Amino acid sequence: MFRRLLCPVALLLIAALLLLPLPENTGVLPGTRSPQRQLIRVWTLSSIGGGQAWLKAALRTYEQQHPGVMTYLRQARAEELTAEDAVLPDLLLYMPGDLTDGSLLLPLTGQLNADEALLRCGRWRGDQVGLPLCWAGYALAVSATLEPGSAVTPAPTTLLGRPAATPAPNATATPGYPAEAARAAAEALQCPRGAGFFTLALLLDEASRPPLPEGFGTLTGAEVYRRYRTGQCASALLTTGQAVALDALIAEGGAPATRYLVPEEVITDQVWLGSIVTGAGDGTAELLAYLSSAEAQRLLSAQGLQPASRTLRLYAAGLPAAISRAADHGLTALNAFVPAEDTAQAAWQVYQGTMTLSDALLPLI
């Protein structure tokens, strides 16, 4: 008899529970007072020198300001974006040459905090899919082994505390490239393969160029930096991020004293862009906007990187300031979706004198 009564009562209880209204999504985990965590996946395909340190600092600050948000940062390869089982990121960071297809990236709308010269870098088939977050240029590092006594030493003289290259007392105008001394060096000059040859062509006319060493124009940027840092070559084209790292070593006695030659205008592929990937979760656009905000951009000064908007001035002296002044005269950022090989071939032809600079740049921007 008891079992017969129990079954109808249980059915009535289940029916009553089904009729109760569902709890509203309040953003709080059921049974607790803790907010639900929102995960934003951030992938970087490659990074600008000093960029990873800046990004990690900016993401920590963003998470502190948004307690319900957690970011997940990982280094990835471009082919992972098209893998069948891929869990795509919400936000993708990349540099020119990493991608040739921007179809996975969402067009950006609204006011974008970047200069037009840099915005062109992030356009795919007429749509603005990439937002420039920071950039750097190239400079020719000249070792004191070529010209004893004329190099510079790092000193903290910039606007926001960056180490800056400061001339020796009573120094006059910056001298040019020591071509005569370079011709006598065993390995006078190195330049990595790629867009850097545009800058080298601006800095060195044909009469100033030393004999080319083995491997010239075929090495990676990392290998060129290593060879210069260890004294294997007397001058080298470096990115400004590499130069900032080199200055820290010079201050510790770990690299040869150096001065830098900067071109009158900037032609660069050293641009870090951010894009929202198709299917991105809520909050991704807000995070991207934060990375381009003045608050986050000021953090770039710790790495010697340039802000995307040139209305924000971070440096008063040193190599970053010199690069910024050169950009005032002219700034050309190569389009992010041009194949890296096309850029490398065009830059090499300009350096060799077989193509004019304007003809070479036209299909790359």
Side-chain angles (χ1 to χ4, degrees):
M1 182 68 179
F2 176 75
R3 290 181 179 178
R4 291 179 184 176
L5 288 174
L6 182 60
C7 290
V9 170
L11 289 174
L12 286 173
L13 288 173
I14 292 172
L17 288 172
L18 292 174
L19 292 174
L20 289 174
L22 293 174
E24 295 182 6
N25 184 4
T26 60
V28 176
L29 294 174
T32 73
R33 295 182 180 180
S34 302
Q36 293 183 7
R37 300 287 283 176
Q38 178 188 10
L39 178 65
I40 301 179
R41 297 179 177 87
V42 182
W43 285 11
T44 62
L45 299 185
S46 63
S47 57
I48 197 168
Q52 285 283 351
W54 166 75
L55 179 61
K56 290 176 182 178
L59 292 179
R60 283 196 299 269
T61 301
Y62 186 80
E63 289 180 346
Q64 291 169 0
Q65 296 176 357
H66 299 77
V69 174
M70 179 173 63
T71 59
Y72 171 69
L73 176 63
R74 71 174 289 246
Q75 180 79 37
R77 302 184 307 275
E79 52 266 30
E80 293 182 64
L81 292 168
T82 54
E84 290 185 7
D85 57 347
V87 178
L88 294 179
D90 302 293
L91 183 63
L92 182 69
L93 273 65
Y94 55 96
M95 293 179 67
D98 287 340
L99 299 171
T100 56
D101 186 346
S103 57
L104 276 176
L105 311 178
L106 294 178
L108 304 174
T109 58
Q111 184 68 31
L112 301 178
N113 187 27
D115 291 352
E116 174 60 25
L118 296 168
L119 286 171
R120 286 198 299 266
C121 182
R123 287 182 185 143
W124 160 258
R125 295 182 177 176
D127 288 330
Q128 188 73 51
V129 298
L131 178 62
L133 299 175
C134 57
W135 64 277
Y138 291 92
L140 183 58
V142 180
S143 171
T145 58
L146 282 182
E147 40 184 14
S150 64
V152 298
T153 54
T157 59
T158 60
L159 182 63
L160 296 181
R162 282 304 313 149
T166 308
N170 303 319
T172 57
T174 303
Y177 187 71
E180 185 175 348
R183 292 188 184 98
E187 186 173 320
L189 176 66
Q190 283 290 358
C191 179
R193 178 174 175 78
F197 275 106
F198 288 127
T199 298
L200 200 60
L202 294 174
L203 286 170
L204 300 181
D205 58 26
E206 191 170 348
S208 302
R209 298 174 186 175
L212 302 182
E214 183 179 355
F216 184 75
T218 63
L219 303 178
T220 65
E223 177 61 18
V224 168
Y225 175 71
R226 186 193 67 79
R227 293 181 74 83
Y228 182 82
R229 175 178 55 81
T230 56
Q232 293 177 260
C233 63
S235 62
L237 193 79
L238 306 179
T239 66
T240 48
Q242 290 173 329
V244 168
L246 182 69
D247 281 349
L249 290 175
I250 294 171
E252 298 171 356
T258 297
R259 69 179 175 92
Y260 300 102
L261 298 179
V262 176
E264 292 184 355
E265 63 177 288
V266 174
I267 302 171
T268 187
D269 60 346
Q270 297 294 299
V271 183
W272 214 15
L273 302 108
S275 290
I276 300 174
V277 179
T278 300
D282 295 339
T284 307
E286 185 178 354
L287 173 58
L288 182 58
Y290 171 76
L291 294 177
S292 68
S293 70
E295 178 184 356
Q297 294 278 290
R298 288 190 182 94
L299 299 175
L300 293 168
S301 65
Q303 309 301 328
L305 292 169
Q306 302 289 337
S309 175
R310 308 208 59 255
T311 58
L312 181 62
R313 297 287 181 158
L314 297 181
Y315 309 103
L319 179 59
I323 292 291
S324 182
R325 289 192 297 270
D328 289 339
H329 294 118
L331 173 59
T332 303
L334 307 185
N335 185 269
F337 302 99
V338 173
E341 184 60 29
D342 291 1
T343 298
Q345 289 182 7
W348 177 249
Q349 288 177 311
V350 169
Y351 183 75
Q352 292 288 86
T354 59
M355 182 181 289
T356 66
L357 181 61
S358 57
D359 287 343
L361 289 178
L362 187 61
L364 304 181
I365 58 176

